[in-house]
Amino acid sequence: MKRRAFLLSAGGAAAGMVLLPQLARAEAGRIDWYTGSDQNILDFWTNIVQPKFEAANPGITLNLVDAGDNAGLQAIGDRAVAAMASSADPQADIFESFDPRLPKGAIEAGLYVNIKEAGLSNYSKINPLAFDGDYSVPYRGSQVLLAYDTTKLDPANAPKTFADLIAWIKANPGQFIYNRPDKGGSGGNFVRRAIYEVNGNDTSKFTVDNYSAEAADAALKPAWDLLMDLAPSLFDGGAYTAGNTPSLQLLSQSAVTMIPAWSDQALQAISTGVLPETTGLVQLSDLGLPGGFSRSVILANGVNKDAALKLADFLLTEEIQSAVLTELGGFPGVAWDYVSPELRDKYKDVIPTTIPVFPGGDWEKAINDGWYRNVAPNVVRE
Amino acid sequence: MIIWPILSAIGRTLWLPGADGVSRFSLETYVFFFSDQYSINNLMVTLWTTGVCALLLLPICLPIALYLRFAKGRLAAYVQGLAIFPMFVPSIILSYAIIRVLGPNGTVDLLFNSVGLPKIRSPYLTPWGPVIGLVWDNIPLTVLILLSGLGAVSDQSVEAARDVGARRWAVLWHIILPRITNSILVAISFTVLGIFSAFTLPYVLGPAAPEMMGPFMQRTFRDLNDPTNAITQAVISFAFCIVFGLFYVRSVAKNRKT
């Protein structure tokens, strides 16, 4: 009998815990914020944005929720669409980084606030390169650039165009390495930059929905030839690391002179001492290595929509944007004129003039598998 | 619980959904695997890695196990600690440690350099990278299994052989080895099964191509969104593993009988 009673109460408690979140209601004055980004972003919000925002806006608190990944955010987006249909409370106000085109038809249904018309006081400061439609607030960015060892390569001689880079790699065999394109964005975007190069640097040639097997063959084949031609001049005669971090490690061990790296990872590695102070960063000037901005979206049917808009405006202040640079190692979402002059000077080499964004979807599959089948093997290594 | 996923995997790769939604019997994913040079290379490098690791493990672990069986005292305890240590090191940490130590400009290079020796050709990002990592990682299991086998060798039998004038090698060959053949078989089949399906070490330390089956399957499944081919690769890997599994079952069954 005792055992049964225990089972009953335990079962009841478990059922109660399952039901509990369902009973939670959005509170006025508490912004429900969701992210699908990595831990470093959540840390940045917990340690920097939240205290600063709450201090500046008494009466408003932030409820930071980790949705896990982009798929998690999309599930909450779906829920918000459903909530809108029944005029219910979506229990969400702002997504840290999300594409307003998802869930499909959300913009047409009026799920997201039109930021352009929302009257943010800092809206005009946003970097024109960063916009992706009117429904999101770009507030941080990251781009792949070249990180190199200034003790071995004079910054004055660092390659400034892709052709220079190829020439430099061939002239200095064994001093460059990039990671497998599916294992990390630094190598992945280096490969994509090579694809742009052989297609006349025409970024408009690739969009999410213009993929076809024939187009891919025509566009990618020359890139594979270019990369295969490059392979013998890479580190160890054609080795590829298994991710962003192993590439940084090889650079820090001084095994190579130059790698492609994410700007935020490289800046963070330099500030934490993983990479030495003598690490130089350079972006190609003919067409930058690809990257992207992270853009927040605000739900129009959220209970705290107005507070969330205040938060979005706050994100674009110099205080937070400088922190994006110094604490997060990302790019500011605002134009560089709105960043403090000393920071602007410190990071002048990495200030992007162009940020190409390569489409995902079927192209990504074609690039990853094509690279593995064409570039990775067929190398005679001694 | 174990058999059902296997049967379901085999079923899903043989009966593919047709264009009209009706599933049909087809061997095409297997034909594709065995006609695709890239896939075959991956399978070959997996077999090669497994074979080399197994070959290296025995001569490394048998002396350690013998030493631990017959030696007594403090030093033996240290050796045992060192031999079992890899068991408690997660493979992702091991991978980065190996890059630090054996990688380019790693600890070994620094030590060599300080005494004026040339740099080593680093095994990092070559097929030898995962081999070194996997051998180190599998030492504890092999040593433990061999030790348990050596437990069956009684001190008396060894001493009896010595009394009649047997030399060291003779004792090993005629007294010890015959009693632990089973353990050796078990140890090899266990490590081979583990190495065949290894993921982290070949992923981080190995070359981009050819890949071992573990990373290859994961990439096919996740990056290429191609579960059918990933399952086909899994079934093929399983077919190889079952051969080693049978070794194990057979030696256990033989043990039961005697």
Side-chain angles (χ1 to χ4, degrees), chain B residues 66-86:
Chain B
L66 284 172
Y67 173 77
L68 290 180
R69 165 69 182 80
F70 294 107
K72 290 177 183 68
R74 256 227 144 105
L75 189 62
Y78 286 126
V79 173
Q80 182 167 355
L82 264 183
I84 305 302
F85 176 62

Side-chain angles (χ1 to χ4, degrees), chain A residues 177 180 182-183 235-236 239-242 245-246 249-250 252-255 365 368-369 371-373 376-377 381-382, chain B residues 32 36 38-39 96 99-100 103-106 121-122 124-126 202-204 206-209 211 219 223-225:
Chain A
I177 192 163
R180 301 161 207 174
D182 63 320
K183 305 275 193 274
F235 174 72
D236 209 10
Y240 307 94
T241 50
T245 320
Q249 196 178 15
L250 283 183
S252 75
Q253 292 189 3
S254 191
K365 266 161 69 177
N368 287 344
D369 201 44
W371 184 87
Y372 268 91
R373 288 181 174 274
R381 292 173 63 193
E382 301 300 325
Chain B
F32 172 75
D36 178 33
Y38 184 74
S39 307
Y96 281 91
I99 302 177
R100 274 264 176 251
N105 293 352
R121 165 82 166 74
S122 169
Y124 177 41
L125 298 178
T126 73
Y203 178 101
V204 180
E211 306 159 274
R219 195 171 65 79
D223 286 2
L224 307 181
N225 264 328

Side-chain angles (χ1 to χ4, degrees), chain A residues 218-229:
Chain A
L220 302 184
K221 185 76 184 51
W224 304 148
D225 292 341
L226 172 83
L227 291 172
M228 260 173 60
D229 181 44

Side-chain angles (χ1 to χ4, degrees), chain B residues 138-153:
Chain B
N138 277 291
I139 285 178
L141 186 66
T142 319
V143 166
L144 286 178
I145 296 176
L146 289 179
L147 259 180
S148 78
L150 283 169
V153 183

Side-chain angles (χ1 to χ4, degrees), chain B residues 26-236:
Chain B
S26 158
L27 282 173
E28 63 190 68
T29 56
Y30 292 90
V31 172
F32 172 75
F33 186 92
F34 285 107
S35 61
D36 178 33
Q37 190 58 41
Y38 184 74
S39 307
I40 293 179
N41 286 346
N42 289 343
L43 181 63
M44 283 305 153
V45 84
T46 311
L47 287 173
W48 178 86
T49 310
T50 314
V52 171
C53 286
L55 282 181
L56 285 175
L57 269 171
L58 259 198
I60 292 173
C61 295
L62 194 56
I64 299 179
L66 284 172
Y67 173 77
L68 290 180
R69 165 69 182 80
F70 294 107
K72 290 177 183 68
R74 256 227 144 105
L75 189 62
Y78 286 126
V79 173
Q80 182 167 355
L82 264 183
I84 305 302
F85 176 62
M87 206 170 209
F88 305 102
V89 181
S91 43
I92 185 76
I93 292 179
L94 168 61
S95 315
Y96 281 91
I98 287 188
I99 302 177
R100 274 264 176 251
V101 174
L102 285 175
N105 293 352
T107 315
V108 173
D109 269 353
L110 293 181
L111 289 176
F112 275 27
N113 199 28
S114 62
V115 291
L117 289 169
K119 280 186 183 181
I120 52 161
R121 165 82 166 74
S122 169
Y124 177 41
L125 298 178
T126 73
W128 286 100
V131 167
I132 294 174
L134 286 168
V135 165
W136 194 74
D137 213 21
N138 277 291
I139 285 178
L141 186 66
T142 319
V143 166
L144 286 178
I145 296 176
L146 289 179
L147 259 180
S148 78
L150 283 169
V153 183
S154 64
D155 283 348
Q156 289 97 319
S157 57
V158 175
E159 275 159 23
R162 285 216 179 117
D163 284 346
V164 296
R167 298 274 185 92
R168 285 183 162 211
W169 286 112
V171 171
L172 179 66
W173 192 251
H174 294 290
I175 306 293
I176 297 175
L177 278 186
R179 302 222 170 172
I180 61 164
T181 16
N182 254 334
S183 310
I184 293 178
L185 264 181
V186 172
I188 289 188
S189 43
F190 261 29
T191 49
V192 157
L193 288 179
I195 293 168
F196 206 93
S197 57
F199 177 76
T200 316
L201 288 162
Y203 178 101
V204 180
L205 297 175
E211 306 159 274
M212 274 180 73
M213 293 304 284
F216 183 41
M217 279 185 259
Q218 193 263 0
R219 195 171 65 79
T220 313
F221 184 77
R222 240 197 61 189
D223 286 2
L224 307 181
N225 264 328
D226 188 354
T228 314
N229 272 320
I231 298 172
T232 305
Q233 292 155 11
V235 171
I236 292 166

